[in-house]
Amino acid sequence: EVQLVESGGGLVQPGRSLRLSCTASGFTFGDYAMSWFRQAPGKGLEWVGFIRSKAYGGTTEYAASVKGRFTISRDDSKSIAYLQMNSLKTEDTAVYYCTRDRVVLVVYAMYYYMDVWGKGTTVTVSS
Amino acid sequence: EIVMTQSPATLSVSPGERATLSCRASQSVSSNLAWYQQKPGQAPRLLIYGASTRATGIPARFSGSGSGTEFTLTISSLQSEDFAVYYCQQYNNWPKTFGQGTKVEIK
């Protein structure tokens, strides 16, 4: 069974750091790009960031709201994606989800949609 | 940033009836549009990608259409388990963006 399990959430003070993990099972993790999303209480979904598979350079993309503060990385040997969150703000409070991304190749362009979601982990930033 | 706008915000439908949800993009996203279903306390679930392709295991009562800037998700005959919030999402451009969601509730 394909599965993603997020961990590492919790209560943290503003300005501090937290690292989330996304542990994958049931598929060849290294073959896939991965993303992180979040959902603030009672709000909609927000994309946080993305990391390509090593075959496509392992490069990353970030939302403007987290760029420079958050870093996504991956350890293919452990089938884990990470979200390192620094300089946390109260507005970062949310449920954080990781996703497996499927690539669509169109001519020379690549597009990614999310086909598997984890159940999420809650991050609360408060003093 | 591409802005996705969904309508209506809330749709009241009786079980067995048809539901039609709309999604508009502020600029063309080609067919790089997905629909997700989210129930309270759960993660989103992929329903449709490529604007019209059902994801694995999704019942045939769910169908998607459209391209460019106008998209539709149709649920042909609502079942009790279909009452949820539905989000459209474009993946044509960075950043990936979602609509604000349409809540499908029991009439």
Side-chain angles (χ1 to χ4, degrees):
Chain A
E1 180 193 4
V2 173
Q3 196 171 12
L4 299 172
V5 179
E6 301 92 339
S7 60
L11 174 63
V12 60
Q13 293 179 327
R16 303 299 291 264
S17 298
L18 203 61
R19 188 178 79 162
L20 306 184
S21 299
C22 170
T23 303
S25 60
F27 65 98
T28 305
F29 179 77
D31 289 347
Y32 290 85
M34 302 293 291
S35 289
W36 287 91
F37 292 82
R38 65 186 181 184
Q39 188 169 35
K43 302 297 185 182
L45 295 162
E46 180 187 15
W47 171 72
V48 172
F50 165 88
I51 185 165
R52 293 173 179 81
S53 66
K54 292 283 172 54
Y56 293 103
T59 52
T60 53
E61 308 284 346
Y62 296 98
S65 58
V66 306
K67 197 169 187 177
R69 299 189 299 124
F70 289 12
T71 302
I72 297 174
S73 60
R74 61 190 300 153
D75 185 336
D76 291 352
S77 68
K78 296 181 179 178
S79 297
I80 300 177
Y82 298 100
L83 178 64
Q84 176 68 44
M85 303 185 294
N86 298 331
S87 303
L88 282 160
K89 306 175 181 180
T90 55
E91 53 264 41
D92 294 321
T93 293
V95 176
Y96 284 73
Y97 298 100
C98 66
T99 68
R100 184 180 79 169
D101 288 30
R102 299 298 295 265
V103 64
V104 178
L105 297 172
V106 179
V107 193
Y108 299 110
M110 300 170 63
Y111 305 96
Y112 294 88
Y113 65 92
M114 304 81 68
D115 71 335
V116 179
W117 293 65
K119 294 188 187 308
T121 187
T122 300
V123 173
T124 303
V125 184
S126 174
S127 54
Chain B
E1 173 173 320
I2 297 177
V3 177
M4 306 299 292
T5 303
Q6 291 184 241
S7 61
T10 303
L11 188 60
S12 298
V13 185
S14 298
E17 288 189 339
R18 182 186 194 93
T20 302
L21 289 65
S22 296
C23 175
R24 173 176 292 179
S26 60
Q27 65 187 75
S28 177
V29 299
S30 186
S31 294
N32 294 313
L33 188 285
W35 289 94
Y36 297 88
Q37 177 194 67
Q38 188 177 34
K39 298 179 180 179
Q42 295 186 17
R45 177 175 72 142
L46 175 67
L47 299 175
I48 302 286
Y49 64 93
S52 61
T53 303
R54 274 190 304 277
T56 303
I58 301 303
R61 64 180 181 273
F62 291 92
S63 63
S65 63
S67 67
T69 62
E70 300 284 343
F71 301 89
T72 300
L73 175 69
T74 301
I75 311 171
S76 59
S77 176
L78 270 156
Q79 306 298 302
S80 57
E81 61 267 29
D82 300 335
F83 293 96
V85 178
Y86 293 82
Y87 294 95
C88 64
Q89 180 251 330
Q90 67 82 20
Y91 51 95
N92 195 70
N93 291 70
W94 301 104
K96 295 182 180 182
T97 49
F98 292 85
Q100 79 281 17
T102 291
K103 182 179 181 180
V104 177
E105 64 177 24
I106 301 174
K107 187 174 182 180

